[in-house]
Amino acid sequence: MAINWFKYSAPTTFYGLAGKLIPWFAFSAALLFVIGLYIGFAVAPVDAQQGEFYRIIFIHVPASILSMFLYLVMAGYAALGLIFNTRLSAMMATAIAPTGALFAFISLWTGALWGKPMWGAWWVWDARLTSELILLFLYLGFIALHASIDDPRRADRASALLAIVGSVNVPIIYFSVKWWNTLHQGSTIKYTGTSMHVAMQQAMFIVLLACWLYAIAVVLARVRSIILERERNTVWINELPEVRS
Amino acid sequence: MKPRQKRFVFIVVALVALAVVVGLVLNALESNVNLYFTPTQVFNNEAPHGRSFRIGGLVEEGSIKRANDGLTVNFVITDTHKSLPVVYKGILPDLFKEGKGVVAQGKMEADGVMHAEEVLAKHDENYMPPEAKDALDKAQKAQGMEKAK
């Protein structure tokens, strides 16, 4: 059976599809958040060196991973929009930006909360922290640039360029702890395996998955309202039951 | 080529060029991006003279000495090749321990001791419960004794 994927690149069909998918993603995200955080805060043992403080990783690590991945996804959609001139891609990029910015902020904020008792400093200008801060600014810059141009198609193109250029920063964040001396520790989960305790790993991966599902649900909801706003003069929108009433 | 293929090639070429530029810039800035110098670098005169800088490494085993005022601490930072003595007056972070990572900021004085204004603990990437840590320490000790024989 051949599925015509391009069918769903049209806002008309995607609007309905997104509406059907949102409850599934939202519900499973909520469920996994509860399970993951329960394992993280109740089942996982304390850490030998950090005691209870280490439990921030169950929020900090998934948020950081998401902030980087979402940026690449956003830049990917922005590039698709530039290359194929598809409206939906640009709308997706716009819809991802606020969630990405939120995760980048959570990452920096929880990191600071952990840094004060553990390192002895809220903030250090090391390569990992600085490049993550730049990531937050890239998200905010993307949002601001898009909002500052009135014509949505021009706004899409200008902010797409910014998103694509900024994607160079993501590998810098990821490899910063390898390339330079940083105060931030290296990766615990490596391709060669990990020394981490099993319950800690489980909690982290479940919360990570929950963050993914949450991000998808929120982005789909946001893209639906962007579609409604941008296509408000079309016939199909005006025929939607929720718009008519 | 169709216009969209042209746009695709343009974006790919631009991204590669940008990545190369950023790579070269970061490479040139290398010493400025690094947060700290290692003791070996300090001995090789790579660290700045007469101004404050950071030095990072491990706290040497058995080197922590606390003065009677309860605030001044003497310890030695090592990268297992070279070692540097540090003196610091203030509150130390929770993770500051012998054999663990540390980053100290301060000036090298004429006495060859770094007078630190700030001491930060550098955490490693290991997360394990206390029982696992004990078992690991015991295993390492046993191995060390084996080697000593």
Side-chain angles (χ1 to χ4, degrees), chain A residues 45-48 50 57 82-84 117-119 121 124 164-165 168 172 180-183 185-186 188 195 197, chain B residues 4 7-8 15 18 22 26 33-36 93-95 103 120-130 133:
Chain A
V46 296
D47 181 64
Q50 302 178 40
I57 62 166
L82 267 193
I83 294 164
F84 294 104
M118 291 294 112
W119 290 344
V124 179
I164 295 167
V165 167
V168 174
I172 295 178
W180 300 292
N181 296 333
T182 56
L183 189 64
Q185 67 256 35
T188 302
S195 59
H197 187 269
Chain B
R4 69 163 130 96
R7 287 196 292 262
F8 177 71
L15 252 189
L18 189 76
V22 171
L26 288 177
V33 180
N34 282 324
L35 187 73
Y36 53 82
D94 288 4
L95 284 182
V103 173
L120 301 173
K122 181 171 158 50
H123 177 51
D124 59 25
E125 64 268 30
N126 296 319
Y127 292 86
M128 56 182 79
K133 175 97 176 73

Side-chain angles (χ1 to χ4, degrees), chain A residues 8 10-11 13-28 70 73 77 88 91-99 211-228 242:
Chain A
Y8 291 106
T13 41
F14 191 77
Y15 181 84
L17 176 72
K20 272 183 219 131
L21 291 176
I22 289 170
W24 295 98
F25 283 114
F27 177 74
S28 38
L70 282 180
V73 176
Y77 271 118
L88 186 63
M91 293 183 201
M92 281 298 283
T94 324
I96 292 171
T99 304
C211 285
W212 260 119
L213 295 169
Y214 161 80
I216 294 171
V218 169
V219 166
L220 287 181
R222 199 175 287 127
V223 87
R224 262 166 70 92
S225 42
I226 293 175
I227 291 175
L228 279 184
E242 62 259 44

Side-chain angles (χ1 to χ4, degrees), chain A residues 23-36:
Chain A
W24 295 98
F25 283 114
F27 177 74
S28 38
L31 189 70
L32 287 182
F33 266 125
V34 172
I35 299 174

Side-chain angles (χ1 to χ4, degrees), chain B residues 11 18 27-28 42-43 47 54 56 61-62 78 83 94 97 103 105 126 145-146:
Chain B
I11 287 176
L18 189 76
N27 200 28
V42 176
F43 273 92
R54 290 201 189 88
E61 294 282 353
T78 175
S83 309
D94 288 4
K97 276 191 192 95
V103 173
Q105 177 168 25
N126 296 319
M145 278 160 107
E146 221 103 301

Side-chain angles (χ1 to χ4, degrees), chain B residues 1 32 35 43 49 60 70 78 86 94 107 112 120 144:
Chain B
M1 274 205 287
N32 292 314
L35 187 73
F43 273 92
H49 294 277
E60 200 163 78
T78 175
V86 178
D94 288 4
K107 255 195 230 169
L120 301 173

